[in-house]
Amino acid sequence: MIRRVRMSLLLLCLTLFGFTAGAAEPPKKILYIDSYHPDYLWSHDILAGIRGVLDSHNDIELSVFYLDTKRNKDEKFIQSVARQARQLIDSWHPDVVISADDNAAKYVVAPLYKDHPLPFVFCGLNWDAEAYGFPAENVTGMVEVCLVTELIETLSRFSTGSKVGYLASNTLSERKELENINKRFQLDFDERLVENFSQLKEAFLELQQNNDLILIQECRSVEGFDHEEMIAFVKNNTQVPTGAMQKYLVHYALVAFAKVGEEQGEFAARTALRILNGAEPSSIPVAENKRARIFLNTEIAHQLKIKFPIDLLEVSTFVNEGLFK
Amino acid sequence: MPGTLTKKLLLLIGGIFLLNLVVIMLIGTSKMSAVIDASKSTGYKEKLGEISRLLEEQDKRLRLTRMEEAYLKDFQTIALKSIAATFSQDGPELTSLYLIDRDGTVLFPDSPLDLPPELLHRILAAGQPGQENVSNSDGGKSWIIYRKFSPWNWTILYRLPYQVKYAALGAFKRTVLPLIVAVGGICLLLLYWLIKRQLQPIQHLTVAASAMAEGNYASTLPVLSNDEIGLLTRAFEKMRLKVHEQFGELRLKQEIFEKLTGSAKDGIIQLDHQGKVVFWNQAGTVIFGYSREEIMGADLYRLFPDTAPDQVRGLFPAFHESGYDHAGGGTLELEAVHKNGSRLFVELSLSSFELNGLMQSMAVVRDVTARKQEEERMALMSFAMERINELVFLVENSSRFQYVNEAACRALGYSRDDLLERRITDIDHGFPQEKWPEHWLELQDKESLDFETVLTRQDGSSFPVSILTNYFEFNRIGYSFALAVDISQQKQMEEERLQFERQLMQTQKLESLGVLAGGIAHDFNNLLAAIIGHSELTKRKLSPESAAVNNLNQIEQAAERAADLAKQMLAYSGRGKFVIEPINLNQLLEEMLHMLEVSISKKAVLRLHPYAQLPAIEADATQIRQVIMNLVINASEAIGEKSGIISITTGCMDCDESYLKNVWLNENLTGGLYVYLEIADTGCGIAKDILPRIFDPFFTTKFTGRGLGMSAVMGIIRGHNGAIKVYSEPGKGTTFKILLPASDKPAEIFNGNPQDEEWVGSGKVLLVDDEESVRGIGVEMLKELGFVCLTADNGREALEVYRREAGFTLVILDLTMPKMDGEQCFRELRVIDPEVKVIISSGYNEYEVSQKFIGKGISGFVQKPYKLSALRDAIKGIVDPDV
């Protein structure tokens, strides 16, 4: 009897030891390097998607590092934060690194860790990853594309023709955006790339004159841009269905097909988990985003006397309901 | 289920479980119903709220369009779709949600709402949310909760049949109850297992206890745990071992007890506090005949129905109460009755002890019938042994006494304890200790010895015993059982017998000699009487100067010597002339002194030591003189030619019979005052071998003696009822001590009165004698004395003469005569004439004659041969006593 009790205690100790030994293994570390800053809505949505996946995994330790290159576009600054990111990687020893948006890929992943043993998952790269040599042996991820076709098809339900005007700020990224859209969809846009707010309003009015519908891209960065004024302007001056593909532009267009940052984050997180579970990054193909959030601007619709069909009503959000509902 | 305890525990726990289950179910159902009511109310209020919010959202979006009328149907449709999509997952409750427009039209779902119209109208009209319980058409009941969405004037209503509302309760009952039952069952099984496991040691204990109860204490109990049960098991195991050990001891004791009581020859009976038999061993059955079954519970007294039952009954109450009583401390001998009615004696020993607070008694009964009989025999034997006159000794091989009887103690003068510490050699001084082993071996060899010895008393005196001793062994120890008989008396009797025989022989010798001598002397005296008489008468007729006178004198002298010789012979035979009179021996000696002095040797010195206060003796002075003369002359002759002293001493002494036993001539002498005459000489003494013969007639150591002197002395002393003691030591001298009974009469002056030869009487005398010569001289002498004499030669003739011739002055009567002797003749004469005066004439002495005629009235005695003077004295004393 005593011998049996002793054996039981020994087995229990061994079991507890084994369990403790297993639990004693350090959690897997995932480092998320965001190109922008926390308050940036897009960055916020991506991180929300990442957390939505990883929060259910207790064995994953997530660390976030912001390059803050949206507010600091100085090259030195960017290089400096890129080194900080490297130092963090070297000191913290993450098992997988998720990078969001182009600056992280440009300043950290591509120059420092491509074909490095450390796996990287990118997201938010606009349209094409090949510019950074991705995918690579240790790098895969999801590129960010705009749902141009779906937006044009929706707007077409309220337009009288198929001519499409294209309005955007005249910046490198918008130019590249337009280049990528054209390259991808090979559409014939009536393009207007503006520098300031006046040009913007002018181009907006001008494009309505020549097109049946208008795609409004990033234009807030133009000089002298005023949001309220812009809202009032479009409310009073929209004559054809307008569409946008960014959430921050929903107030300016009749319909907006906003990309979903959470989709980028969720994909990156799941891919990181697959890598942590043994998958090679090279075996995971680079993906594109598919989801969009539809916003309907009832003010502009009322201006245009457009009654949204019930199917669109069912899947969309009224802009004046609140963007973050 | 093996264990009752397990069963009980399981039943208890199961019962408690079921009771709890029922209570839980009842309370739970009640509470759960309340909770469900509250929960459903809250939940469905929330749902109504959510639905309402959804409708509000759509209504808000509708208003955002600012084209309410255009979009109203769309948003209502969206809302209904959204509600359907949102709540489509509610399952069966979906059908219970109703959206009703103001007209009572059911917008959702497609199925109608089965409500009484009044109720529906009341619900539609109600502005506030509410709840109702309604009856279904199918008889069931439903609970409804509703809320109005005012913008669209819709009523949102949930209807839940009770089975739906309380589905959880039903599910609870259906799920939880079996679950509880299942869990309870599992718990019961687990409990059963746990209880069984926990009670396994108790079951082991139970099994062990059962085994112990059945007497099996050998099964070992495993200690399965260190908890309380383990400790209990260990304690029980310890107890089992102890009990095993103690039961082993107890069983051994029980076996010993059963064998002891079973094999005991004594009946062992246990009595309870009421005196009832509760235990009875086999010996009890053997003794009393009752089996144990027959006697158990019975009263002990039934065994002693007739032996003072009250006494027996009286023993027990006090005995039971106190445990002490005379019965408890000792042993009673009671007479009991066997089952078959026979009587027996038992020894009953009672003792008490306390059992369970009650006094119990144990009676040990022993059949002592045989022992009692044996004891009685032994007691009788012991009693006899103590009472017999023989001395009984039980002596061990060390010569120490093991047992002596009362007679031995009494005879030896020792106490029993004192005697038991002594040895045989302490009382038999003639038996030295060093001879004892030899005696013991001889006794062992012969097994029986018969001998005589002398035992010494504590006071130093001794007595002869005859001992018959037997050897035997008892318990391998040898004993001598000796029976001693005090033969003092036997010895004395033997001595006396021998003495008697000697005396008898002496007497017979004397008798025969006396008869012989008497006969000779009688005839001799008759002859001498004639010679002397005729000589005297012849001298009377002759002149004194006649030469024949001298011859006649010589004849008379010779006849007188012959008469002396005859007298000696008669003296020896005790029949000599015997004139008894009180005399003073000292005076007699004084008178004889001169004659004695001239009679003894000139070298011998005669010394007289008279005792002044000497009593008189009744004796014949002549014979006493003869005795003195004989002894003195013998003393002188013993001194012979040497110088010596002859002492004559007189005295008196009180002599007891024992003193008188060691004397010569002890013929029934009685104790009393005796006068002794002691004549001692310093002569040659008498050799011991001839000492016994000195009084034999004709025994003499002298050349000239006739051997009749000492015989005459003995005869004279015997005739005087005296005794003789002789002390003689060769070379030193001899002492003769003559003992004569002292008389209480004063001694008469022995003066030898001068004879009155001139006295002459007158009258007629009848002379009776068978001897003619005596008659002749007698007639002559009587004539000389002046009497007329008639004669007769026998008694018969004398009677005839006496009858024929009246006037006789006296009769002289011979004793020994033919036809009729003198004694018978005297009696006849007394018949004829009571006043007749008779003088007995006989050759026997007067004493002998007076013994025959004592008290018969004889008037005198004259011993033949008598002289004229003697006849004259005898007649004168009768005819003229005053002279």
Side-chain angles (χ1 to χ4, degrees), chain B residues 137-189:
Chain B
S137 57
D138 59 0
K141 295 193 76 173
S142 294
W143 171 73
I144 60 173
I145 184 168
Y146 55 89
R147 174 175 178 164
K148 194 146 199 165
F149 182 64
S150 300
W152 293 351
N153 209 10
W154 283 9
T155 297
I156 312 162
L157 182 145
Y158 268 103
R159 175 173 184 165
L160 279 82
Y162 272 16
Q163 65 267 27
V164 174
K165 181 183 179 183
Y166 297 111
L169 188 59
F172 170 76
K173 290 180 179 176
R174 287 190 301 276
T175 305
V176 176
L177 186 61
L179 185 64
I180 290 175
V181 171
V183 171
I186 293 170
C187 287
L188 282 177
L189 288 174

Side-chain angles (χ1 to χ4, degrees), chain B residues 217-404:
Chain B
Y217 305 96
S219 56
T220 304
L221 273 177
V223 179
L224 301 176
S225 63
N226 288 320
D227 55 9
E228 289 82 355
I229 295 179
L231 294 174
L232 177 62
T233 304
R234 191 172 286 112
F236 190 89
E237 175 67 6
K238 193 174 179 182
M239 182 186 75
R240 183 191 65 78
L241 292 172
K242 191 69 177 173
V243 169
H244 189 187
E245 178 185 345
Q246 290 186 346
F247 264 80
E249 294 176 1
L250 191 62
R251 193 177 293 114
L252 179 61
K253 288 178 180 176
Q254 176 73 17
E255 187 175 350
I256 291 171
F257 170 76
E258 288 178 356
K259 290 192 175 181
L260 280 175
T261 56
S263 61
K265 301 301 181 188
D266 292 343
I268 299 173
I269 304 168
Q270 183 189 348
L271 308 172
D272 64 7
H273 63 287
Q274 295 177 332
K276 306 292 185 185
V277 175
V278 294
F279 177 79
W280 177 270
N281 70 339
Q282 180 60 27
T285 300
V286 173
I287 292 172
F288 293 103
Y290 294 100
S291 67
R292 182 177 296 185
E293 292 71 22
E294 290 173 328
I295 201 68
M296 289 298 278
D299 198 324
L300 184 66
Y301 313 136
R302 71 184 278 188
L303 301 173
F304 310 99
D306 301 325
T307 308
D310 293 337
Q311 179 191 356
V312 175
R313 280 189 172 84
L315 294 174
F316 291 96
F319 178 69
H320 281 141
E321 288 174 4
S322 64
Y324 294 98
D325 203 303
H326 59 277
T331 301
L332 292 175
E333 274 196 6
L334 301 173
E335 185 176 2
V337 177
H338 192 272
K339 182 184 176 184
N340 61 15
S342 60
R343 303 277 171 171
L344 66 155
F345 286 99
V346 297
E347 197 173 76
L348 176 68
S349 301
L350 282 174
S351 58
S352 69
F353 56 92
E354 191 173 316
L355 186 66
N356 295 330
L358 294 174
M359 290 305 296
Q360 304 279 310
S361 306
M362 186 182 77
V364 178
V365 181
R366 176 171 295 178
D367 185 353
V368 296
T369 306
R371 195 192 75 188
K372 191 171 179 64
Q373 292 170 349
E374 184 63 25
E375 280 179 355
E376 288 178 353
R377 282 195 294 272
M378 289 299 293
L380 178 61
M381 288 297 296
S382 177
F383 183 80
M385 197 73 80
E386 290 296 323
R387 293 299 185 279
I388 61 174
N389 291 325
E390 284 74 11
L391 286 57
V392 178
F393 302 98
L394 185 65
V395 186
E396 59 183 17
N397 62 354
S398 65
S399 79
R400 190 177 295 280
F401 295 116
Q402 280 291 319
Y403 169 79
V404 292

Side-chain angles (χ1 to χ4, degrees), chain B residues 731-790:
Chain B
K732 292 188 176 178
T734 302
T735 299
F736 286 88
K737 190 171 187 177
I738 306 297
L739 292 164
L740 293 167
S743 172
D744 52 355
K745 299 176 181 175
E748 292 181 359
I749 301 300
F750 188 80
N751 50 13
N753 288 335
Q755 294 180 353
D756 187 2
E757 294 183 355
E758 300 301 324
W759 182 86
V760 176
S762 60
K764 189 166 56 178
V765 176
L766 175 60
L767 177 62
V768 184
D769 201 311
D770 59 333
E771 190 63 42
E772 186 179 358
S773 60
V774 174
R775 288 196 304 269
I777 194 63
V779 170
E780 291 294 332
M781 287 182 177
L782 287 170
K783 287 179 180 176
E784 281 291 315
L785 292 175
F787 292 95
V788 175
C789 186
L790 298 176

